[in-house]
Amino acid sequence: MAFVKDMLRMWAHSWKRFISIAMITLLGVAVLTGIYAGCRDAFRSTDRFFDAQGLHDVQVLSTAGLSNGDIAALRKVNGVAKVQAERSQEVTFDLDGRKSATMQEIGTNGIDQPYLQEGRMPKKAGEIAVTRKFIRDSGKRIGSRLTVTPESASSDTSDTNDTNGADGTNETNGTDEAPSFPTKLTIVGVVLDPQNLSNPDGYSAMTSFRSTATTDYTFFAPSDGVTGTLYTSATLLVKGAAAESTFDESYENTVKQVTDRIDGTVKTDRQKARRQELLDAGNKKIADARAEADKKFADAQSQIDANRQQFNQQVDQIVSMQAGAAAAGAAANGANAGAAAAAGATTPQLDETTRETMRETIIAASLELTQAKQQLDQAQSQLNEQKASTEQTLKTKENELKTSIPQVRWYVQDRQSLGGFSALKSDLDSIQSLGNAFPIVFLLVAVMMSLTAMARMVEEDRSLIGTYVGLGYGRLAVASRYLLFALLACLIGGGLGLIAGFLGIPAFLLVVLQGMYVMPGLRLEYDWLYGSLGIALFVVGVLAATIYACVQEMRQTPASLLRPKAPRAGSRILLERIRPVWNRMGFLSKVTARNIFRFKSRLIMTVGGVAGCTALIVCGLAINDTVADLGIKQYRDIYQYDLMVVSDDSDASAMRTKVASDGRVTSSLDVRIESGDLTVAGSGDGDSGKAGSSGSESIQLVAVPEKHLSDLGEMVTLQPVSSGILGTSGVGKTGSLKLDDDGVIVAQSAASALGVKAGSKVRLTNGDGVQATAKVSAVNRNLIGSDVYVSETYYAKLFDSKDAKNTKNSKSSEDSEALTWNAMLAKLSGSDTSQTDYAESLEEGSSVMKAVSCAHMADSFKFDLMGAVVALIVALAGGLALVVLFTLANTNVSERVREMATLKVLGFFDREVHHYVNREMMILTVMGVILGLPLGRLVGGMLTMALNMPSLYFEVEVKPLSYVIAAVATMAFALLVQLFVNPVLDRIDPISSLKSVE
C-alpha cells in the first residue's frame, strides 16, 4: 500500500510530464484518426447513397445502339443481378443563349435512380425532374414550363459517351426506332443525379468547363410518353457488389469478374449478332423495296397492257368495218344478188399481213389514233427505264450494304468512367494520403519526447529505485510505476484524441467537402478497430521509450543506484578549437556553448523535435502556397490567351463574326474543343474501351488547324516536362515543344495522375464517343484542367477510321477533311475588368455557348478543400511545436536544478537566471528552425507527389514569407514556453536544492 501511495505521489509531482505525454498522444491520435475518419465517413455515406439509388456497377454502350437481344444476352451473364435498358435523347432550348440537355428516362428496374430533393418525381408524359444546377442557372422553379427541341431524330447518350447507332440503324432497320421524348415539359421536382455529386455552388462549378460534346444539364423523365425501341445504354448491377465498399479493391475485383465475362464472349457474339441484325434488316428493306417496286411496276404494266388492248380492239374494229365495207361493194357489182347478200352477211377473212397493213394505214390516217399509240409506247419505254434504274439502284445498295454498316463496337465501363465518381474518389484518396503521412512525424516526435521525459523521470528517482530494489521489490514492479504512468497518460491523451479525431476533425473536413459535393445521409461514425489501433500505436511507442529508459537505469546494482550519478566528464567542444572565436566569447557564452554541445541527447532531442514541428508548418504552408499560385500560374503564365469562346457547331461562323466585329481581339486562333476521356492504353484491351483499374481522366480535347500549328505556342506556353523527385519536375525551355502529326501533347495534370509520359500509348475518347489509341509525343506543363492538344491531321487519323463512320455525329468521308472550328482562343485589349465584362457579354448572345476570361479565372480560382486541410495541418503542427518545446524546457530545468541553485547562490538575479537558461533553449530552437525549413520543403515536395487529383497538378511553391512565418511561429512558441518556465526557475530554493543527496 505504501508503494502505491508513493507511486501516486510521484505521479502527482510529475504532472507536467503527464500532460506533455498526454498532449502529444492526443495530437498524434487526432491526426492519425481525424483525416482518416473524415474521408471514411464521406466514403461510407457515399457508398450507402450509391447503393440506395442503385448506381450501376457496369454500363454497356454500343456504336449501333442496343436491342432487346443485347439486353437478353446481358441478363444471362453469370454474376449479373439486374439489367436495365435505358433511353435518352439530346435536346436544346433557349436559356440566355442556346443550351443543351440530355433527356434521360428514369429506369424502372431500380438502377441509377435520381435522388429527390424537392417536389415530386415525374409520373406522366411531359413531366420532368431537373438538377439544382439548372434551377440555379435558369431561375425556374417547380411548376415552370419549358419547351425543348430534339437535336436530331437520333438518340443521344452524351452523358455516357455513347456513340449513336440509331442513325445508322434507322437507315437500315425500320423496326428499331431511336428514343423520342415529349418536347413540352413541366418541372415537377428537383433531383440529384447519382452519377454526379458535384455541388453546383462549390469549387467544381467555378473551375470546370463543359465543351460542345457534353450537354449542360440532365432532365429526368418517366417512361410514359417515351417512344423508341432502340436503347442508348444498358446498366447492370453485379451480384455481391453492394456488400462491398465501392471505393475498395474488393469491389473492383467483384465487378471486374463480370466485365471480363462480358468482354470474353458476350461482347464478341453480340457485336457480330447486332451487325448481322443490321445487315439482315438492310437486306430485308432492300427485298421489301424490290417487292414493292415489282408490284408497282406490275400494276403499271397491267394498266399499259389494258390500255393497249383497248387501243388494239378499237383499231381492229375499224379494220373489220373497212374490210366489210370493201367486200360489200365488190358483191354489189356482181350478177348474183344472192351471192352479194351472202357476202354482206359474213366478214371477209384477211391474212395477218393484210390486217397489220390496214392497222398501220388506219392509225396513220387518224391523228387521234397516232397520238394514242405514241402515248402507249412512251409509257412503256418509261416503265422499262424505271424498272432498269430501280433494279440497278437495288443492286448497288446490296453491294454497298456490307461496307456502309460499320463493325459494331461495345464499350464496357465501370464506375471509374463516371467523372463525378472518379473526382470524388481521387479527392478523398489524396486527402487521406496526407492523413497517412503526417501521423508518422507525430509518432516519431511522441517517441522522442516520451523518451526524454521518462528518462529524466527515471533518473530523478534513481536513488528511490535503488532503495526499492534493495528492499526486495522486483525490477518489473518498480518499472511498473513508470510504465503505468506513461500508459495512463497515453490512454487519457488517446481517448481525447479519439474524440477530436472522430468528431472534431471530421466535422471540420466534412463541412468543406459538402461545399464541393452533395452527400445525402452524411453522418459521423466511430471505427473501434482503427481507433483502438491508433491508441495502441502510440502506447507501444511511448511504452517502448519508457522501457528503454527503465532498462538503462535498472541494469545497475542497487548499490550503484543509491549513489549519486557521476557527473558527465568534461570535454572540449569543437568551438573551443577555433581560437579566434572562442577567445572573444564571454564567460556565460562559453558556458552556454559547452552546455549545448556537451549534452548530445538533449541537443538531438531538442533540435530534432523543433525541426520536425517546423517542417510540418512549412509543409502545410508549402501546400497552401502551391494551391494559391495555381490560378495565377495557369491563367496568366501557361495560358497566354485572354479569352476562350466556344459555340455550337452550327453557330461557329456566327460566333467568329461576332467576336471579330467587336474589335477587341488583337490576335486569335480557331480551334475545335471537345470533352472526352483519356485512359492508359494498358488498362484494358485494345477494343474494349473499358476503363481499367488505374481509372481514366476527363480531358478537354483541343484540335488545332494544320495550317496554324505553329500559332498554338503563341496562345499556350508549350514547355516539355519530365518527372522529378520530391515533388519537382524538370521543365524544358519555353517554345522547345511543337505540336505535330506524330502524336498528341498531354497536359501535365493528366499525365501525372495516370503515370503517362512521352512515348506512352493512351486511349482517347472524343466528344462523339469514338475511341482510338494515340501516341503521346510530349507532356506539356499544365496545372489546372487536362488539355490534350492534337493536330487536325492526327485527329482525322485517329477518329475518322472505318469503324468511326456512321456513328453518332461522326463525319462522313466527304466531310472528314475539314473539322468545324467551334472555339476561338483570343488575346484582348483592355484591362482585366473589361476583359471579364466582355466575356460575360458574349455569353448573352445566342451564338456563344461559353466564354471564359482568363483574368477572371485567375482571380476567382479557389480550392477550399486543400485550404481547409492546410489550415488543419498548420494548427496541429503548431500545437505539437508548443507541446514539444514545453516538454523540452521543463526537462531541461529539472535536469539542472542544482546548477540553477548554484547560480542563485553566486548572486545571479532571477532575470539573469532566466536569460542564462532561455538563451540555450532559443539557440537550440534556432538550430531546429534552420534544419526544419529545408526539411519542410523536402516533405512538402514528397506529399504533393501523392496528391494526384483530377485536372490538378501541384507544382510545389514555397514563398519566402512562408519560411518567415514558420520560423517566427516556432520562435513565438519558444517565447510562449518561456512564460511558463520562468516561474519554475523562480521557485527553485537554493538551500534545499544544494543539499547533499547522501
Side-chain angles (χ1 to χ4, degrees):
M1 190 63 184
F3 180 82
V4 175
K5 288 183 179 180
D6 183 62
M7 180 177 64
L8 296 176
R9 190 180 299 113
M10 180 267 292
W11 287 5
H13 179 72
S14 302
W15 65 272
K16 293 179 182 179
R17 293 191 182 96
F18 187 91
I19 291 178
S20 297
I21 296 174
M23 287 299 298
I24 291 176
T25 306
L26 185 155
L27 292 172
V29 172
V31 172
L32 179 64
T33 60
I35 298 178
Y36 158 82
C39 295
R40 173 178 172 272
D41 292 341
F43 279 138
R44 285 199 169 188
S45 65
T46 305
D47 182 61
R48 288 193 299 268
F49 176 74
F50 287 159
D51 291 341
Q53 304 308 123
L55 181 66
H56 67 262
D57 299 312
V58 180
Q59 185 179 48
V60 178
L61 309 170
S62 173
T63 57
L66 297 172
S67 65
N68 289 323
D70 296 328
I71 304 302
L74 289 172
R75 287 196 175 101
K76 297 178 182 178
V77 176
N78 184 26
V80 173
K82 285 184 179 181
V83 178
Q84 178 173 286
E86 297 184 345
R87 295 176 290 183
S88 62
Q89 181 184 33
E90 187 171 303
V91 298
T92 59
F93 55 94
D94 185 23
L95 180 63
D96 295 331
R98 191 168 182 265
K99 299 292 184 180
S100 60
T102 297
M103 295 289 295
Q104 180 68 45
E105 179 185 17
I106 300 176
T108 57
N109 208 16
I111 303 178
D112 288 344
Q113 298 297 297
Y115 176 77
L116 183 63
Q117 294 178 303
E118 294 181 26
R120 63 176 177 84
M121 296 297 292
K123 297 180 180 179
K124 58 184 180 180
E127 295 182 343
I128 59 169
V130 300
T131 60
R132 190 168 297 280
K133 179 188 176 191
F134 176 77
I135 295 294
R136 184 200 64 178
D137 293 347
S138 66
K140 295 184 180 296
R141 59 188 181 187
I142 294 177
S144 298
R145 299 183 182 275
L146 180 69
T147 300
V148 299
T149 303
E151 277 211 343
S152 65
S154 63
S155 63
D156 177 72
T157 54
S158 60
D159 189 52
T160 53
N161 293 334
D162 182 24
T163 56
N164 183 5
D167 291 340
T169 302
N170 287 341
E171 291 177 2
T172 57
N173 188 354
T175 61
D176 286 339
E177 297 180 359
S180 178
F181 288 72
T183 57
K184 295 186 181 299
L185 310 173
T186 301
I187 300 173
V188 298
V190 179
V191 297
L192 173 66
D193 185 356
Q195 298 187 29
N196 184 7
L197 302 183
S198 298
N199 189 332
D201 299 315
Y203 157 73
S204 58
M206 295 177 56
T207 59
S208 64
F209 170 72
R210 289 187 177 271
S211 59
T212 57
T214 303
T215 55
D216 300 294
Y217 309 100
T218 301
F219 299 158
F220 296 90
S223 298
D224 185 21
V226 181
T227 62
T229 58
L230 195 67
Y231 304 110
T232 51
S233 66
T235 52
L236 290 71
L237 293 182
V238 176
K239 293 180 180 178
E244 306 289 344
S245 173
T246 184
F247 302 99
D248 291 345
E249 186 177 354
S250 58
Y251 166 82
E252 296 178 0
N253 294 334
T254 301
V255 174
K256 187 175 186 299
Q257 293 176 3
V258 175
T259 56
D260 287 346
R261 293 189 189 108
I262 297 175
D263 283 335
T265 56
V266 178
K267 184 181 75 170
T268 303
D269 294 342
R270 289 309 306 171
Q271 285 178 165
K272 294 178 180 179
R274 180 59 178 156
R275 186 169 188 271
Q276 189 60 46
E277 288 177 2
L278 298 178
L279 290 173
D280 293 343
N283 288 325
K284 184 177 182 302
K285 289 189 70 175
I286 293 174
D288 293 343
R290 176 178 280 112
E292 183 179 358
D294 290 344
K295 183 177 182 302
K296 290 180 178 179
F297 292 148
D299 293 342
Q301 187 64 56
S302 297
Q303 183 65 37
I304 293 174
D305 291 344
N307 292 336
R308 189 175 294 279
Q309 182 179 3
Q310 183 180 2
F311 175 81
N312 290 335
Q313 289 176 353
Q314 183 179 0
V315 173
D316 288 343
Q317 185 177 6
I318 297 174
V319 169
S320 298
M321 292 175 61
Q322 289 183 358
N333 295 328
N336 192 348
T346 59
T347 302
Q349 297 296 323
L350 301 176
D351 59 78
E352 188 63 29
T353 303
T354 304
R355 182 177 293 275
E356 186 63 31
T357 301
M358 292 182 66
R359 285 196 192 100
E360 293 177 357
T361 303
I362 292 170
I363 293 172
S366 173
L367 178 62
E368 181 179 354
L369 292 177
T370 301
Q371 292 177 346
K373 185 176 185 302
Q374 291 176 349
Q375 290 176 354
L376 287 173
D377 292 341
Q378 184 177 1
Q380 184 65 53
S381 176
Q382 290 177 351
L383 179 60
N384 292 338
E385 290 178 0
Q386 289 178 2
K387 290 173 66 176
S389 175
T390 301
E391 184 62 25
Q392 181 63 35
T393 300
L394 293 176
K395 287 183 178 180
T396 302
K397 285 186 175 293
E398 286 179 340
N399 295 331
E400 293 178 349
L401 182 61
K402 290 186 178 181
T403 57
S404 63
I405 296 180
Q407 296 293 332
V408 176
R409 296 293 181 186
W410 271 26
Y411 299 110
V412 184
Q413 300 175 338
D414 55 22
R415 290 182 182 178
Q416 294 289 343
S417 63
L418 299 177
F421 175 87
S422 59
L424 173 62
K425 185 176 186 297
S426 182
D427 280 351
L428 294 178
D429 284 342
S430 298
I431 300 305
Q432 196 168 22
S433 66
L434 294 179
N436 295 333
F438 277 96
I440 297 175
V441 179
F442 278 78
L443 179 61
L444 292 176
V445 173
V447 171
M448 292 172 59
M449 294 303 102
S450 300
L451 180 60
T452 300
M454 296 310 297
R456 180 55 193 165
M457 186 176 180
V458 173
E459 186 177 339
E460 287 180 351
D461 290 346
R462 174 185 175 87
S463 59
L464 185 59
I465 293 173
T467 299
Y468 278 123
V469 174
L471 291 175
Y473 287 90
R475 282 179 166 77
L476 180 59
V478 176
S480 65
R481 294 158 50 92
Y482 310 101
L483 293 175
L484 292 175
F485 177 86
L487 177 62
L488 184 60
C490 284
L491 292 178
I492 292 177
L496 296 175
L498 290 180
I499 295 176
F502 283 99
L503 293 178
I505 295 177
F508 170 74
L509 288 178
L510 293 179
V511 167
V512 180
L513 278 172
Q514 286 179 313
M516 298 176 59
Y517 301 98
V518 180
M519 293 180 285
L522 185 63
R523 64 174 183 261
L524 302 179
E525 299 182 33
Y526 180 72
D527 187 338
W528 288 97
L529 178 61
Y530 195 86
S532 301
L533 291 177
I535 294 180
L537 183 64
F538 280 84
V539 166
V540 170
V542 173
L543 288 184
T546 304
I547 292 172
Y548 176 80
C550 292
V551 169
Q552 289 296 102
E553 290 293 332
M554 293 184 185
R555 65 183 179 181
Q556 302 180 46
T557 63
S560 299
L561 292 172
L562 287 170
R563 287 193 298 268
K565 189 175 183 179
R568 185 181 297 273
S571 61
R572 289 177 177 270
I573 62 174
L574 179 62
L575 192 58
E576 292 186 49
R577 304 181 187 280
I578 307 176
R579 289 296 178 182
V581 177
W582 184 257
N583 292 336
R584 287 172 172 78
M585 293 174 61
F587 172 74
L588 292 180
S589 298
K590 292 179 179 179
V591 173
T592 299
R594 284 198 178 103
N595 288 335
I596 290 174
F597 294 103
R598 281 179 61 201
F599 300 98
K600 301 294 191 303
S601 61
R602 188 175 69 196
L603 172 65
I604 294 173
M605 293 295 182
T606 305
V607 174
V610 173
C613 297
T614 305
L616 287 177
I617 297 175
V618 172
C619 180
L621 295 175
I623 297 176
N624 183 69
D625 290 343
T626 299
V627 172
D629 282 351
L630 282 179
I632 296 175
K633 288 182 178 180
Q634 180 69 35
Y635 297 109
R636 296 193 183 277
D637 183 13
I638 297 176
Y639 287 166
Q640 299 181 40
Y641 60 83
D642 301 313
L643 178 70
M644 173 191 289
V645 188
V646 183
S647 71
D648 189 56
D649 285 359
S650 59
D651 297 325
S653 178
M655 176 269 292
R656 286 192 292 271
T657 302
K658 165 65 177 172
V659 175
S661 64
D662 292 337
R664 296 290 303 276
V665 176
T666 58
S667 61
S668 65
L669 174 64
D670 293 335
V671 296
R672 177 168 183 82
I673 294 180
E674 301 176 350
S675 287
D677 290 296
L678 182 148
T679 307
V680 177
S683 64
D685 63 80
D687 294 328
S688 69
K690 177 176 68 68
S693 58
S694 61
S696 62
E697 187 83 2
S698 297
I699 62 169
Q700 184 168 276
L701 190 62
V702 182
V704 183
E706 197 68 27
K707 297 180 180 180
H708 300 283
L709 294 180
S710 59
D711 296 338
L712 179 63
E714 298 179 3
M715 295 295 170
V716 179
T717 301
L718 298 178
Q719 289 180 276
V721 295
S722 57
S723 300
I725 60 174
L726 306 179
T728 62
S729 58
V731 181
K733 182 180 178 182
T734 301
S736 60
L737 183 59
K738 301 292 184 183
L739 180 63
D740 53 33
D741 300 331
D742 295 331
V744 298
I745 297 178
V746 179
Q748 186 179 12
S749 46
S752 175
L754 298 177
V756 174
K757 58 184 180 180
S760 299
K761 294 288 186 180
V762 297
R763 179 163 285 275
L764 292 177
T765 304
N766 72 352
D768 299 329
V770 182
Q771 297 188 350
T773 301
K775 175 186 176 183
V776 178
S777 60
V779 176
N780 182 52
R781 178 174 176 252
N782 197 85
L783 308 180
I784 301 175
S786 297
D787 298 332
V788 174
Y789 300 101
V790 57
S791 68
E792 179 183 4
T793 300
Y794 196 57
Y795 181 97
K797 178 181 178 182
L798 291 175
F799 300 115
D800 286 341
S801 63
K802 176 181 177 181
D803 292 342
K805 293 176 183 177
N806 295 326
T807 58
K808 170 186 156 185
N809 295 333
S810 63
K811 290 165 273 299
S812 64
S813 58
E814 291 83 359
D815 299 331
S816 62
E817 295 180 357
L819 293 173
T820 299
W821 308 114
N822 64 342
M824 174 188 292
L825 309 179
K827 294 183 179 180
L828 302 177
S829 58
S831 62
D832 291 349
T833 303
S834 64
Q835 292 177 9
T836 301
D837 294 340
Y838 178 61
E840 293 177 353
S841 66
L842 284 177
E843 284 194 322
E844 296 176 358
S846 59
S847 62
V848 175
M849 178 177 291
K850 188 72 175 179
V852 180
S853 168
C854 288
H856 173 68
M857 296 299 293
D859 294 337
S860 62
F861 179 84
K862 294 180 181 179
F863 196 178
D864 295 333
L865 176 60
M866 190 58 66
V869 175
V870 167
L872 180 65
I873 291 173
V874 172
L876 293 173
L880 181 63
L882 186 61
V883 174
V884 166
L885 290 170
F886 179 79
T887 302
L888 293 172
N890 278 282
T891 302
N892 182 38
V893 172
S894 65
E895 287 178 342
R896 303 167 64 185
V897 171
R898 293 175 64 85
E899 182 182 351
M900 300 302 105
T902 302
L903 292 176
K904 289 189 175 186
V905 170
L906 293 176
F908 279 69
F909 293 103
D910 289 343
R911 187 173 181 180
E912 293 173 323
V913 174
H914 297 168
H915 181 68
Y916 177 81
V917 175
N918 292 334
R919 179 168 56 181
E920 294 179 15
M921 283 302 300
M922 293 302 293
I923 293 175
L924 290 173
T925 302
V926 170
M927 294 172 63
V929 168
I930 294 175
L931 179 62
L933 294 179
L935 181 62
R937 171 61 180 81
L938 188 69
V939 175
M942 295 174 65
L943 286 177
T944 52
M945 291 177 64
L947 298 178
N948 290 330
M949 307 183 88
S951 303
L952 287 176
Y953 177 79
F954 295 94
E955 191 175 72
V956 184
E957 176 79 16
V958 186
K959 297 179 180 178
L961 181 60
S962 296
Y963 288 117
V964 174
I965 292 175
V968 170
T970 305
M971 298 304 296
F973 290 139
L975 293 174
L976 181 61
V977 167
Q978 290 181 14
L979 299 179
F980 296 100
V981 173
N982 289 340
V984 177
L985 295 174
D986 294 340
R987 288 194 296 269
I988 294 177
D989 183 9
I991 297 177
S992 59
S993 300
L994 290 174
K995 285 182 179 179
S996 174
V997 294
E998 300 289 345

